Amino acid sequence: MLYIYIYIYIYNIVRCGGSKVNLRPPIISTDSRYPFLLCASGDLVKVYSTRTEEWLHSLQGHTNQVTGIALNPANHLQVYSCSVDGTVKLWDFIDGILIKVQLKNSQCFQLVAVHLPKSAEQEVEAKEMSVVSSHISSNPSCTAFGRGVRAHSYFFKYPLFFSLCSFSLKATDKKGAKNAFTCIACHPTDDCIATGHEDGKIRLWRNFIHKKEYTYSTQHWHHNAVNTLCFTPEGTHLLSGGIESVLVQWQYGAGNRKEFLPRLGGSILHISVSSDGQLFCTSHSDNKITVIESSFKVCGVIQGLVKGDGVLTDLMIDPRSKALVLNGKPGHLQFYSLLRDKHLYNLDIVQQEYIYEAGLDQFEVVKAAFDIKGSWLATVEERGQKSSDLEFFLKLWAFDERTQSFVLNTTITAAHTDRIISMCFSSSKETTMLVTIAEDGQFKAWCQGADDQNFWSCDFVGSYHNLKPTNCSFSADSSLLAVSFQEVITIWSPETWEMLTTLCQPPGVIRDLCFGRLSCSKYLLGTTTRNLLCCWNLLTCALEWSSSVEVSKLQPDPLSENVAAFSYQSKHTDVFVFKPSEPRPLFTNKNVCSEKVHRAVFVPREEPLNNCDESSQWLNRSQLYFLTQNMDLLTFSTATEEDRILSSSKQLVIDDSVAVTPFYLLLGKHGQQQQKLNTQSHPAADKPQQPQGSVTIKELLHTPAHVLPAASVLCSMFVNSLLISNTGVQEEMDSEKEEEDSEEEMEACDSQQELRVQGSVDEVTLKLSKAQERELKRVRKTDFSWMAGLIDSKP
């Protein structure tokens, strides 16, 4: 019997990255030379560079989903953000500083205008609100603002409302067209409103101020629903987008004259335009933002974690790149860096052009698995909802060292006669074996051939009493293979393919299977449809313990004995971590999310956590990530990790007057080494006073690189800071002239005395001229210490 002990530990469940960047339209800063792109991403506001596509920093302070962002019209370096947490925050998005927090106390769903009071306090409650409309009963699909109060508009499904009037269209017209509203946009200068509809039509409404006298014209290109509309700042063009992934630019007032920018990726959800009209941004259904110049040329792509309709593959870790691998855009696997929160690349598995059309049955990647070394990747792609129409392929991909990517090695068109349910690679580093199970009642073992091409072929076919297999798993040393057939677990030897034993209690169809690791390698864990978690002892072939709990996901840690189990009950998911040898959980966390968790993975750390308490030992070597049904990628953050991050950031602070940059750290390290060498070679009394750093250099090190002026300006400023002022040069020349005059007089006296002693001018030794001596003195006074730094910096 598994006893559940509940411990209260300090763990924070945080979004580790990969949040949606396409929930709301992004905005572009008004700086025409170095514009920034800002977008809502989970409970953050992310700031990107439109030039380099790099993520610069995040505005962090909200405790729930950010629902909207807008630039401050009074200050182009500030942005407002609103959130489900009931606050409106004002940020300096250049430096990432929170300026003010406005609290809202509104429980009803209304369209209101909120007056943000001016106050010196950072946290202010906004009490002054004016209701624009109070008869809102459901969430409106879109809201748009035009010139003045008269053009404020919003809609729900069929009716369209304005601040002074409202009107509607019938659900279908005489020709059967679908007239439901999908999006809306207001012209910036004219009394004109554009609406998009489910049938792909765009209507331009005019004369809507007068009741029942409005008129509209229709434009049509999209073959499906229009998802978004946006006017350019001057109002000369109207931009539209939909499922076709084509950006359409309509010339305002010129009928159906239009331009196209096709093949942008996923369906276009939002369109944004910069204030000067030079840049467009399109948000796509594959969690991507495309930056487009006004000349209709793509100049940048910001790709987040691709979020489709659902993840069909498991969450996997590439053993080579340590990237998270899962379903990407249709027909692809995506490789995503968890450390940098950045999309790395897509691997085309299907290798067919995807057609963005609703209801079209196309190939999708449904299964994938890596071998232990990351040298092989197995994928399964299928098409067809019904078994009679089912098409699927099993593909083996080999890692190419030259291209640093996976290359297709073998395609198996008839791996099974029915859908493949699961597959796994052996854990052995000597021999690579792949096992697949399918609904045809068989499991097959695939191995590399003996030829030079290393093509894969079937090595063994197994079954058990015509029962359908449900799952399979290799032991840590690959000496055993467990295959579940309905309520029975069969244990096989991969060397001889002899069935060693069967495990058939307690009742219930087996869903998940996993072997214990390290000191717990003699245990086998399984979950059943009867909401049981079972542990068998493979040495005694008997049930060790069981617990009545509904487990939606069972995930072992590859670097320890720990196993994580996600349990869904009472409309929320709990997680507990345990060792198969002990019935007492090491860690329990209630209500981690409100949805079921079917995808999770332990990610090995680059460096183990040091000095962590006993309750955090299970996170010492690996970090647990899990994916919710809402496509939120979450993880556990401990207090030790947060303290480590803070301490590492404090260690970077060397000088309060200069910002700590990699360039500064390099100079500081070299300066410390040079100072140590000088101290060893010269006494402290003989050490000359080092000149203080110039203000220009400190300012250069303090300013972020992405906001620095052009290199030509920096070069001139830097050179000028090194030059000596004219006054100092003139004083130095005067002092040198006086020294030269006095030296000439002394040298004249000395020469006359020598002539008297020697008695002849011919016996006088040749000496340097005055000009040469002055030049030599000037060279002596020059500081050549910078040359030593250049010599030391050479590899």
Side-chain angles (χ1 to χ4, degrees), residues 376 396 398 409-410 447-457:
W376 291 96
L396 280 303
N409 175 271
T410 305
C447 296
Q448 296 175 248
D451 54 359
D452 296 335
Q453 299 296 329
N454 289 329
F455 292 136
W456 289 69
S457 61

Side-chain angles (χ1 to χ4, degrees), residues 20-230:
K20 290 184 177 180
V21 297
N22 59 358
L23 181 65
R24 291 291 183 266
I27 58 176
I28 305 174
S29 65
T30 57
D31 189 348
S32 59
R33 188 171 184 181
Y34 301 103
F36 298 95
L37 184 142
L38 294 85
C39 64
S41 178
D43 53 4
L44 307 174
V45 178
K46 291 188 175 181
V47 182
Y48 293 89
S49 170
T50 57
R51 301 282 181 174
T52 63
E53 310 169 20
E54 289 294 326
W55 167 63
L56 303 178
H57 55 267
S58 297
L59 309 180
Q60 186 173 1
H62 287 289
T63 59
N64 210 324
Q65 177 69 53
V66 176
T67 56
I69 53 177
L71 291 174
N72 185 2
N75 191 330
H76 69 281
L77 300 180
Q78 298 177 357
V79 64
Y80 284 101
S81 64
C82 59
S83 170
V84 180
D85 60 11
T87 62
V88 176
K89 297 181 184 292
L90 179 63
W91 309 83
D92 180 343
F93 63 84
I94 298 295
D95 297 325
I97 300 174
L98 177 61
I99 301 176
K100 187 167 293 186
V101 179
Q102 310 282 348
L103 304 179
K104 298 181 298 178
N105 294 322
S106 179
Q107 301 297 328
C108 57
F109 196 87
Q110 296 175 326
L111 181 65
V112 299
V114 181
H115 174 70
L116 302 180
K118 295 182 178 180
S119 174
E121 300 293 331
Q122 187 180 31
E123 187 171 313
V124 181
E125 183 177 359
K127 298 181 179 180
E128 186 177 345
M129 295 185 294
S130 58
V131 178
V132 179
S133 178
S134 58
H135 61 276
I136 298 178
S137 58
S138 60
N139 189 10
S141 300
C142 186
T143 303
F145 296 87
R147 62 183 192 95
V149 181
R150 295 181 300 173
H152 292 181
S153 57
Y154 52 95
F155 70 90
F156 301 97
K157 190 173 182 181
Y158 298 111
L160 179 68
F161 296 88
F162 296 88
S163 58
L164 299 179
C165 62
S166 65
F167 53 90
S168 62
L169 293 172
K170 294 182 179 180
T172 58
D173 59 11
K174 296 180 180 179
K175 298 181 180 180
K178 297 180 180 179
N179 292 331
F181 293 95
T182 56
C183 54
I184 188 172
C186 296
H187 197 279
T189 58
D190 291 348
D191 289 334
C192 176
I193 292 178
T195 59
H197 301 266
E198 282 189 1
D199 56 3
K201 293 181 180 179
I202 299 174
R203 290 181 171 88
L204 299 177
W205 304 80
R206 295 180 176 85
N207 200 27
F208 47 79
I209 299 178
H210 306 284
K211 294 183 177 180
K212 298 183 180 181
E213 295 182 5
Y214 57 84
T215 61
Y216 66 82
S217 59
T218 303
Q219 297 176 344
H220 193 191
W221 178 84
H222 298 276
H223 73 272
N224 222 310
V226 182
N227 289 339
T228 179
L229 293 170
C230 183

Side-chain angles (χ1 to χ4, degrees), residues 281-296:
C281 282
T282 56
S283 300
H284 299 265
S285 58
D286 54 358
N287 205 29
K288 178 179 67 177
I289 298 176
T290 304
V291 184
I292 305 168
E293 295 178 352
S294 57
S295 58
F296 258 41

